[in-house]
Amino acid sequence: MKRTFLTAFFFFIALSAKGQKQAVSSDTIALFFDELATASSRNAGLWNKDLYGPVILIDPKTREFFANEPDSEGILKRNGKIYSGVLPASINIANTAVNWGGKRWAMIMLPLSQDKESRINLLAHESFHSIQPALGFTLNNAENNHLDQKEGRIYLRLELEALKQAVRSTSQKEMKQHLTSALTFRKYRNMLYKNSETAENLLELNEGIAEFTGLIVSGRNNEQTRSSLLNGINDFMKNPTFVRSFAYYTTPVYGYLLYKKDKDWNKRIDGKTDLTGYFIKAFNVIIPSDLKKAAGNLADRYNGKSITEEETEREEKTRRLIAEYKLKFIQQPHFEIKFEKMNVSFDPRNIVPIEDKGTVYPNIRVTDLWGILTVENGALMSPNWDKISISNPVKTENKKISGDGWILELADGYTISKDESSGNYRLVKN
């Protein structure tokens, strides 16, 4: 199979904002677009490029969406100052960038936050994804499965605790001390896990830089920005997993603190920059040569004892969960579906890496030439993203097949068959 999924879009369901209830009218939607346009214009110097471009705001329940400009294929209908339509079922819904109707759009799910700065932050983040290829940043979302391991989680949490203290610092000297601690924890974590520095860097260059952009464009003052960063880290710590979402909370802190010192730092990086090395040099930090000893000595300053206790307890629970997933998707009969031209959306906050077998996504939606798969109770994605495994089907109604927490809507020309010797099901192209 040609690995066409490498050029497909990887959609991420971003963190939902608090206090989101609001009426959606054409005037309200137009106001949101105007807020982004104004904020983008004010901050055009951030990247020497206006972020404001084609934007879609979409209701994930009805698939109705609103756009700030017409599409190139004449699909959308004009509605006052805005345009509207219904997104085809073949396109996944998420906070992301998407090619549709002859244009590249920033797509954001409704409802938006009632807080203006939070709204603009999210809109600017996704708008950055629309222009990032033109800025030299490759769309790349590397998995960081080591951040689901005990030591990986401990030293990420310690890094974030140090970053919180850096944000709270009242002097440059104090801030530098905490940044040194944070980067020491990071370097030690990367030393523990082979190739982890590269994987983390790829996600930070993608989601981290996008979130830094949103933070700056949001228009928050210094006090509001510090509060947003601190609250964001505290909320992030409650996530079941860190592997796909940590970059939202690391890069923005380093980036914001450096931005206060150098407004042009981001213009000197691209998709090949080593952000860790860049920040170490930019903050004039000296990393200790004995990382293990230094990290051990620093841990107690950042709640290291309780973090280690919590992660030890979590490790045992995770071990039991992984055993259950192995039984369900590998050892006992299951349904394996190979990809042809895959497009996927999922929640990055609760995924579970299964050693070298792949990653379980509790909630995921896949569209392909063979149809649409919607999963709400777990599916195992292979390590190289060429297939997905779910539990065996229990019900078939024409082209609609369902099982434990999943529904498969088959396209014409496809059926399923059972291997009587193994009990496994597979997809068959007629």
Side-chain angles (χ1 to χ4, degrees):
M1 181 194 73
K2 185 179 179 181
R3 297 179 68 181
T4 53
F5 72 88
L6 288 176
T7 58
F9 289 101
F10 289 74
F11 295 129
F12 291 82
I13 300 173
L15 305 181
S16 58
K18 295 181 179 179
Q20 293 183 334
K21 291 186 178 180
Q22 59 190 28
V24 178
S25 66
S26 59
D27 288 342
T28 300
I29 296 296
L31 172 63
F32 295 158
F33 290 145
D34 288 343
E35 288 176 345
L36 176 61
T38 300
S40 297
S41 178
R42 288 174 179 169
N43 292 275
L46 181 63
W47 292 105
N48 289 335
K49 189 175 181 67
D50 194 343
L51 281 175
Y52 191 66
V55 180
I56 286 174
L57 301 181
I58 185 164
D59 184 336
K61 294 181 180 179
T62 65
R63 302 188 74 85
E64 180 183 15
F65 69 90
F66 310 92
N68 61 336
E69 58 183 65
D71 62 288
S72 298
E73 300 175 2
I75 301 171
L76 298 176
K77 295 181 179 180
R78 180 129 195 182
N79 184 2
K81 295 181 179 180
I82 64 176
Y83 299 81
S84 61
V86 177
L87 196 69
S90 59
I91 299 178
N92 289 314
I93 296 174
N95 293 334
T96 188
V98 59
N99 288 344
W100 178 84
K103 291 186 177 182
R104 181 171 175 80
W105 306 81
M107 179 194 291
I108 299 95
M109 294 186 295
L110 293 169
L112 300 181
S113 172
Q114 292 182 348
D115 177 72
K116 179 180 178 180
E117 288 75 20
S118 296
R119 283 198 302 270
I120 296 174
N121 195 138
L122 176 58
L123 292 168
H125 175 118
E126 301 308 336
S127 294
F128 175 83
H129 284 314
S130 291
I131 69 167
Q132 74 180 79
L135 294 173
F137 294 93
T138 306
L139 291 164
N140 198 319
N141 293 290
E143 292 191 350
N144 286 268
N145 289 349
H146 64 286
L147 295 181
D148 208 54
Q149 301 296 312
K150 177 183 174 182
E151 297 297 312
R153 286 178 57 91
I154 286 174
Y155 287 99
L156 174 61
R157 290 182 63 180
L158 286 169
E159 178 184 358
L160 287 168
E161 289 295 334
L163 288 178
K164 284 165 60 177
Q165 294 303 321
V167 171
R168 295 189 181 109
S169 297
T170 57
S171 70
Q172 288 296 312
K173 181 180 179 180
E174 182 185 3
M175 183 184 76
K176 184 177 178 180
Q177 288 176 340
H178 293 303
L179 287 173
T180 300
S181 297
L183 289 163
T184 297
F185 291 134
R186 170 177 289 219
K187 293 294 286 185
Y188 180 56
R189 178 176 72 246
N190 293 154
M191 186 184 79
L192 292 176
Y193 298 96
K194 185 179 180 180
N195 299 324
S196 62
E197 187 168 9
T198 298
E200 289 182 15
N201 193 58
L202 287 172
L203 192 59
E204 290 192 306
L205 284 169
N206 191 37
E207 296 299 341
I209 295 299
E211 185 62 12
F212 161 75
T213 300
L215 185 74
I216 300 302
V217 175
S218 70
R220 296 182 180 95
N221 59 34
N222 287 335
E223 183 177 347
Q224 290 173 321
T225 300
R226 288 194 293 269
S227 178
S228 176
L229 292 171
L230 294 173
N231 290 336
I233 291 174
N234 289 334
D235 288 341
F236 168 72
M237 295 294 192
K238 302 171 187 176
N239 287 351
T241 187
F242 301 156
V243 302
R244 284 273 186 176
S245 51
F246 77 94
Y248 286 84
Y249 307 95
T250 51
T251 313
V253 175
Y254 291 114
Y256 169 68
L257 295 178
L258 185 54
Y259 186 75
K260 293 177 67 177
K261 172 184 174 183
D262 178 2
K263 292 290 191 294
D264 294 319
W265 77 264
N266 57 294
K267 298 172 191 172
R268 292 189 286 272
I269 67 172
D270 58 28
K272 297 181 180 179
T273 300
D274 169 16
L275 285 177
T276 300
Y278 189 96
F279 290 139
I280 287 174
K281 184 176 180 180
F283 289 115
N284 195 26
V285 164
I286 298 176
I287 301 297
S289 56
D290 190 338
L291 286 170
K292 181 177 181 180
K293 181 178 179 181
N297 290 338
L298 290 168
D300 285 345
R301 302 182 193 179
Y302 301 99
N303 207 23
K305 183 178 180 180
S306 62
I307 287 175
T308 300
E309 290 174 352
E310 290 168 7
E311 292 305 324
T312 300
E313 182 179 351
R314 178 188 181 275
E315 183 182 40
E316 181 56 37
K317 293 180 180 178
T318 302
R319 189 180 292 113
R320 292 195 295 268
L321 180 61
I322 289 175
E324 293 174 8
Y325 280 144
K326 279 185 176 180
L327 178 64
K328 184 176 182 178
F329 299 121
I330 300 173
Q331 297 165 1
Q332 66 184 22
H334 55 275
F335 184 8
E336 185 177 283
I337 303 174
K338 293 185 178 180
F339 299 136
E340 297 179 29
K341 193 175 181 181
M342 171 268 282
N343 195 290
V344 60
S345 65
F346 55 86
D347 188 335
R349 296 168 294 174
N350 59 1
I351 62 179
V352 182
I354 308 296
E355 299 164 359
D356 61 344
K357 307 300 182 183
T359 302
V360 171
Y361 291 79
N363 310 97
I364 190 168
R365 186 178 191 267
V366 183
T367 61
D368 204 313
L369 299 179
W370 40 252
I372 301 172
L373 173 65
T374 304
V375 178
E376 297 180 352
N377 194 28
L380 176 63
M381 181 72 73
S382 65
N384 59 353
W385 286 66
D386 63 345
K387 62 184 178 181
I388 193 168
S389 297
I390 52 181
S391 59
N392 271 350
V394 296
K395 186 177 181 180
T396 301
E397 296 178 335
N398 296 321
K399 290 290 185 177
K400 189 174 183 179
I401 304 164
S402 58
D404 178 19
W406 62 263
I407 297 174
L408 173 62
E409 301 167 76
L410 282 179
D412 291 339
Y414 292 86
T415 58
I416 64 171
S417 68
K418 182 179 180 180
D419 184 328
E420 295 299 336
S421 61
S422 66
N424 293 337
Y425 279 78
R426 63 187 180 91
L427 201 61
V428 177
K429 186 175 182 179
N430 297 333

